[in-house]
Amino acid sequence: MEKTFKIVISVLVAIALIGVIYLFMQQGNNNAPASMNKAQVKNTIHSYLLDNPAILIQMSQKLQAQEQQKQQQQANSVIKQNADKIFNPKNNPIVGNKNGKVTLVEFFDYQCIHCENMYPVVQKLMKANPNLRVVFYDFPIFGEPSQYAAFAALYAHTQGKYLAMHDALFAANDVEGKMTDAKVNVLAKKVGLNLVAMKSYIKTQMDAMKAKKNMPNGVMGSFELAQLLHIQGTPAFIIAPTPSTGNPAGKTTFIPGASDGAALQQAINDAK
């Protein structure tokens, strides 16, 4: 994040320098000689930026808005082209009202603190919107402990106990490197899963993942879609009219990061 920030600032400064030079060329400068050497130009621009620091903030805000708009447009195009794959996956858990006319898709990792913070927000949205359909995409990007937890939850899905395991994993608060396979096993046992069968399932899935084999577990699909949508972290959300049953005129919203209940609720309202 810090490196990205420095790069953005460097780019903005460079753009600002070009912009100031352009202003001098277009408007002239009574205090500037007809021909300025490199040092004089540099000093003049330096003084201008010191006197007008707000220009960098304005440029940053404008650049951010443009990037967000561009990302939203690109995401909407990908979502439209892959609507059936995204909203009607064969192996992902679908909860809430499975016949709901609005669908919320979430990409998440059980070790992600922002995902944990969003967990109760999503729960409240499901209760407040009885017509909401929720599709979960386990997207374990924080290493093997996250993968183990994701596959444990997906094994629970095969046993009809996904939500119980999903809730237990987030309630454990094992984020930012605290999660271990042993802790996941304890939770699985409490949920009532067969640990021998679960471990066998997880090993098969993780071996396949290392070999980059496309197993029918939902996780590989998560990575493929995340790549198409340029999702680089968790959480990420898509809120849209459910294909074939939702309002065709409803709005699709892509949120590549943590949000709040009000913003997500507005997206749900826009999709109706």
Side-chain angles (χ1 to χ4, degrees):
M1 179 66 75
E2 183 178 353
K3 182 178 180 182
T4 301
F5 177 77
K6 289 181 179 178
I7 293 173
V8 170
I9 291 299
S10 297
V11 171
L12 289 175
V13 170
I15 295 173
L17 293 176
I18 295 171
V20 174
I21 292 172
Y22 177 78
L23 287 175
F24 273 106
M25 292 173 63
Q26 294 296 313
Q27 299 176 3
N29 184 340
N30 294 331
N31 297 321
S35 178
M36 298 176 67
N37 61 37
K38 183 176 180 180
Q40 289 173 321
V41 171
K42 181 177 179 181
N43 289 335
T44 302
I45 292 173
H46 181 262
S47 297
Y48 180 86
L49 291 176
L50 287 178
D51 292 339
N52 302 274
I55 191 172
L56 290 176
I57 297 175
Q58 294 169 5
M59 292 172 67
S60 175
Q61 292 172 339
K62 182 67 174 179
L63 179 63
Q64 184 178 23
Q66 289 177 343
E67 287 299 313
Q68 288 177 343
Q69 183 179 18
K70 180 180 178 181
Q71 187 176 22
Q72 186 71 230
Q73 291 173 341
Q74 291 176 337
N76 284 349
S77 177
V78 172
I79 292 166
K80 185 177 181 179
Q81 293 171 11
N82 297 274
D84 189 56
K85 183 186 296 185
I86 294 171
F87 298 110
N88 298 299
K90 295 180 180 179
N91 302 293
N92 294 62
I94 299 175
V95 301
N97 183 347
K98 295 185 179 181
N99 296 313
K101 294 186 178 181
V102 175
T103 297
L104 180 150
V105 173
E106 181 183 9
F107 290 79
F108 66 92
D109 184 306
Y110 287 112
Q111 285 201 101
C112 167
I113 190 169
H114 301 297
C115 298
E116 184 180 75
N117 292 336
M118 292 304 302
Y119 166 73
V121 174
V122 174
Q123 298 297 306
K124 289 179 182 178
L125 289 171
M126 290 171 61
K127 292 179 181 178
N129 297 274
N131 203 29
L132 183 64
R133 178 175 177 267
V134 179
V135 180
F136 286 127
Y137 277 85
D138 288 86
F139 185 39
I141 58 176
F142 291 104
E144 291 194 1
S146 290
Q147 294 171 14
Y148 191 92
F151 287 129
L154 290 170
Y155 172 75
H157 179 48
T158 68
Q159 305 301 304
K161 297 181 178 181
Y162 179 81
L163 270 184
M165 190 62 181
H166 178 79
D167 294 345
L169 285 165
F170 273 127
N173 192 33
D174 288 326
V175 296
E176 297 187 327
K178 296 178 183 178
M179 185 169 287
T180 65
D181 296 358
K183 289 181 178 180
V184 173
N185 292 340
V186 170
L187 295 175
K189 188 174 182 180
K190 289 181 179 179
V191 169
L193 298 177
N194 182 317
L195 292 187
V196 174
M198 184 190 79
K199 290 179 181 179
S200 176
Y201 173 90
I202 293 174
K203 184 179 185 306
T204 299
Q205 304 303 321
M206 291 186 72
D207 287 346
M209 191 170 183
K210 290 177 182 177
K212 296 184 179 180
K213 293 181 180 179
N214 193 8
M215 298 292 287
N217 54 41
V219 170
M220 292 303 293
S222 297
F223 278 91
E224 290 171 1
L225 288 174
Q227 185 174 15
L228 288 174
L229 291 163
H230 300 290
I231 295 174
Q232 299 178 343
T234 52
F237 299 91
I238 300 171
I239 301 94
T242 303
S244 74
T245 62
N247 178 9
K251 180 181 177 182
T252 295
T253 302
F254 173 62
I255 303 176
S259 186
D260 56 51
L264 290 173
Q265 182 61 60
Q266 184 59 55
I268 292 170
N269 294 341
D270 291 342
K272 292 181 179 178

